[in-house]
Structures are given as C-alpha cells and as structure tokens.
Short mmCIF file of all heavy atoms in Angstrom, two decimals:
data_model
loop_
_atom_site.label_atom_id
_atom_site.label_comp_id
_atom_site.label_asym_id
_atom_site.label_seq_id
_atom_site.Cartn_x
_atom_site.Cartn_y
_atom_site.Cartn_z
N TYR A 6 95.31 98.66 96.67
CA TYR A 6 95.21 99.32 95.36
C TYR A 6 96.51 100.07 95.10
O TYR A 6 96.85 101.03 95.78
CB TYR A 6 94.03 100.29 95.36
CG TYR A 6 93.75 100.93 94.01
CD1 TYR A 6 92.96 100.28 93.07
CD2 TYR A 6 94.27 102.18 93.69
CE1 TYR A 6 92.69 100.87 91.84
CE2 TYR A 6 94.00 102.77 92.46
CZ TYR A 6 93.21 102.10 91.55
OH TYR A 6 92.95 102.68 90.33
N GLN A 7 97.27 99.62 94.10
CA GLN A 7 98.54 100.25 93.74
C GLN A 7 98.28 101.34 92.70
O GLN A 7 97.81 101.04 91.60
CB GLN A 7 99.51 99.20 93.17
CG GLN A 7 99.80 98.06 94.14
CD GLN A 7 100.52 98.54 95.40
OE1 GLN A 7 101.36 99.43 95.33
NE2 GLN A 7 100.18 97.95 96.53
N TYR A 8 98.56 102.57 93.06
CA TYR A 8 98.19 103.68 92.18
C TYR A 8 99.38 104.57 91.83
O TYR A 8 100.37 104.64 92.55
CB TYR A 8 97.10 104.53 92.84
CG TYR A 8 97.53 105.20 94.12
CD1 TYR A 8 98.09 106.48 94.11
CD2 TYR A 8 97.37 104.57 95.35
CE1 TYR A 8 98.48 107.10 95.28
CE2 TYR A 8 97.76 105.19 96.53
CZ TYR A 8 98.31 106.45 96.48
OH TYR A 8 98.71 107.06 97.64
N LYS A 9 99.22 105.25 90.70
CA LYS A 9 100.16 106.30 90.30
C LYS A 9 99.62 107.67 90.71
O LYS A 9 100.39 108.59 90.95
CB LYS A 9 100.39 106.26 88.79
CG LYS A 9 101.16 105.03 88.32
CD LYS A 9 101.41 105.11 86.83
CE LYS A 9 102.21 103.91 86.34
NZ LYS A 9 102.45 103.95 84.89
N ALA A 10 98.31 107.79 90.72
CA ALA A 10 97.67 109.05 91.13
C ALA A 10 96.32 108.72 91.76
O ALA A 10 95.69 107.72 91.41
CB ALA A 10 97.50 109.98 89.94
N ALA A 11 95.89 109.55 92.69
CA ALA A 11 94.62 109.31 93.36
C ALA A 11 94.03 110.64 93.83
O ALA A 11 94.75 111.62 94.01
CB ALA A 11 94.80 108.38 94.56
N GLY A 12 92.71 110.67 93.98
CA GLY A 12 92.03 111.87 94.44
C GLY A 12 90.79 111.49 95.25
O GLY A 12 90.31 110.35 95.17
N GLU A 13 90.28 112.44 96.01
CA GLU A 13 89.11 112.18 96.86
C GLU A 13 88.15 113.35 96.85
O GLU A 13 88.57 114.51 96.95
CB GLU A 13 89.55 111.91 98.31
CG GLU A 13 88.36 111.65 99.24
CD GLU A 13 88.78 111.59 100.70
OE1 GLU A 13 89.35 112.59 101.20
OE2 GLU A 13 88.55 110.54 101.34
N ASN A 14 86.86 113.06 96.71
CA ASN A 14 85.79 114.03 96.91
C ASN A 14 84.90 113.55 98.04
O ASN A 14 84.61 112.35 98.14
CB ASN A 14 84.94 114.18 95.63
CG ASN A 14 85.62 115.06 94.60
OD1 ASN A 14 86.61 115.74 94.89
ND2 ASN A 14 85.09 115.06 93.38
N LEU A 15 84.48 114.47 98.90
CA LEU A 15 83.59 114.15 100.01
C LEU A 15 82.33 115.01 99.92
O LEU A 15 82.38 116.15 99.44
CB LEU A 15 84.27 114.40 101.36
CG LEU A 15 85.53 113.60 101.69
CD1 LEU A 15 86.06 114.02 103.05
CD2 LEU A 15 85.23 112.11 101.67
N ALA A 16 81.22 114.45 100.39
CA ALA A 16 79.97 115.21 100.48
C ALA A 16 79.15 114.65 101.64
O ALA A 16 79.28 113.48 102.00
CB ALA A 16 79.19 115.12 99.18
N ILE A 17 78.30 115.50 102.21
CA ILE A 17 77.47 115.06 103.33
C ILE A 17 76.10 115.73 103.26
O ILE A 17 75.98 116.92 102.97
CB ILE A 17 78.16 115.39 104.69
CG1 ILE A 17 77.40 114.78 105.85
CG2 ILE A 17 78.34 116.88 104.87
CD1 ILE A 17 78.14 114.87 107.19
N ASN A 18 75.07 114.90 103.43
CA ASN A 18 73.69 115.36 103.61
C ASN A 18 73.10 116.09 102.40
O ASN A 18 72.54 117.18 102.53
CB ASN A 18 73.58 116.25 104.85
CG ASN A 18 73.92 115.47 106.11
OD1 ASN A 18 73.68 114.27 106.19
ND2 ASN A 18 74.50 116.15 107.08
N PHE A 19 73.22 115.48 101.22
CA PHE A 19 72.53 116.00 100.04
C PHE A 19 71.28 115.17 99.79
O PHE A 19 71.25 113.96 100.07
CB PHE A 19 73.45 115.96 98.82
CG PHE A 19 74.43 117.11 98.77
CD1 PHE A 19 75.66 117.01 99.40
CD2 PHE A 19 74.11 118.28 98.11
CE1 PHE A 19 76.56 118.06 99.36
CE2 PHE A 19 75.00 119.35 98.06
CZ PHE A 19 76.22 119.24 98.69
N ASP A 20 70.25 115.81 99.26
CA ASP A 20 68.98 115.12 99.03
C ASP A 20 69.00 114.23 97.80
O ASP A 20 68.19 113.32 97.68
CB ASP A 20 67.84 116.14 98.90
CG ASP A 20 67.57 116.87 100.22
OD1 ASP A 20 67.83 116.26 101.28
OD2 ASP A 20 67.13 118.03 100.17
N SER A 21 69.89 114.52 96.87
CA SER A 21 69.95 113.71 95.65
C SER A 21 71.37 113.70 95.10
O SER A 21 72.18 114.60 95.39
CB SER A 21 69.00 114.27 94.58
OG SER A 21 69.45 115.54 94.12
N ALA A 22 71.66 112.67 94.32
CA ALA A 22 72.98 112.57 93.70
C ALA A 22 73.20 113.71 92.72
O ALA A 22 74.32 114.22 92.58
CB ALA A 22 73.11 111.23 92.98
N LYS A 23 72.14 114.15 92.06
CA LYS A 23 72.25 115.24 91.09
C LYS A 23 72.60 116.54 91.79
O LYS A 23 73.45 117.31 91.31
CB LYS A 23 70.92 115.39 90.33
CG LYS A 23 70.98 116.41 89.21
CD LYS A 23 69.68 116.42 88.42
CE LYS A 23 69.75 117.42 87.27
NZ LYS A 23 68.48 117.44 86.51
N GLU A 24 71.96 116.81 92.92
CA GLU A 24 72.25 118.02 93.68
C GLU A 24 73.70 117.97 94.20
O GLU A 24 74.42 118.97 94.17
CB GLU A 24 71.29 118.14 94.86
CG GLU A 24 71.52 119.37 95.74
CD GLU A 24 70.67 119.35 96.99
OE1 GLU A 24 69.90 118.37 97.18
OE2 GLU A 24 70.77 120.30 97.78
N GLN A 25 74.11 116.82 94.66
CA GLN A 25 75.47 116.66 95.16
C GLN A 25 76.50 116.86 94.04
O GLN A 25 77.50 117.56 94.22
CB GLN A 25 75.61 115.25 95.74
CG GLN A 25 77.00 114.90 96.25
CD GLN A 25 77.02 113.50 96.84
OE1 GLN A 25 76.74 113.31 98.01
NE2 GLN A 25 77.34 112.52 96.00
N HIS A 26 76.22 116.27 92.87
CA HIS A 26 77.14 116.42 91.73
C HIS A 26 77.22 117.88 91.29
O HIS A 26 78.31 118.37 90.95
CB HIS A 26 76.66 115.54 90.57
CG HIS A 26 77.48 115.67 89.33
ND1 HIS A 26 78.72 115.09 89.19
CD2 HIS A 26 77.25 116.35 88.17
CE1 HIS A 26 79.22 115.38 88.00
NE2 HIS A 26 78.34 116.15 87.36
N GLY A 27 76.07 118.57 91.32
CA GLY A 27 76.08 119.98 90.94
C GLY A 27 76.95 120.81 91.87
O GLY A 27 77.68 121.71 91.42
N ALA A 28 76.91 120.49 93.16
CA ALA A 28 77.75 121.22 94.12
C ALA A 28 79.22 120.94 93.87
O ALA A 28 80.07 121.84 93.96
CB ALA A 28 77.36 120.82 95.55
N TRP A 29 79.54 119.70 93.56
CA TRP A 29 80.93 119.34 93.26
C TRP A 29 81.43 120.08 92.03
O TRP A 29 82.56 120.59 92.00
CB TRP A 29 81.05 117.83 93.04
CG TRP A 29 81.20 117.05 94.32
CD1 TRP A 29 81.56 117.52 95.54
CD2 TRP A 29 80.99 115.64 94.47
NE1 TRP A 29 81.61 116.50 96.46
CE2 TRP A 29 81.25 115.34 95.84
CE3 TRP A 29 80.61 114.62 93.63
CZ2 TRP A 29 81.15 114.04 96.35
CZ3 TRP A 29 80.49 113.32 94.13
CH2 TRP A 29 80.77 113.05 95.48
N MET A 30 80.60 120.14 90.99
CA MET A 30 81.02 120.76 89.74
C MET A 30 81.18 122.28 89.87
O MET A 30 81.86 122.91 89.07
CB MET A 30 80.03 120.43 88.62
CG MET A 30 80.02 118.96 88.22
SD MET A 30 81.63 118.36 87.63
CE MET A 30 81.73 119.19 86.05
#
C-alpha cells in the first residue's frame, strides 16, 4: 500500500463495536 499519510488505532477486549468507538472518540 503506497501512502502519503497513514494512522493507526488499537483496541482490546471491548464488548461491542459501539463501546469501543465511544472510547476512541
């Protein structure tokens, strides 16, 4: 993958995608 910009988010052991997204936000 040839990129100009890139980023990474990590998460572990959340019960739901919504809960995980809320923590990220």
Side-chain angles (χ1 to χ4, degrees):
Y6 186 85
Q7 301 296 323
Y8 63 90
K9 291 183 178 179
E13 179 188 59
N14 281 349
L15 298 179
I17 188 171
N18 297 329
F19 280 88
D20 293 331
S21 68
K23 186 175 181 181
E24 179 188 1
Q25 177 179 273
H26 177 76
W29 276 342
M30 293 300 289

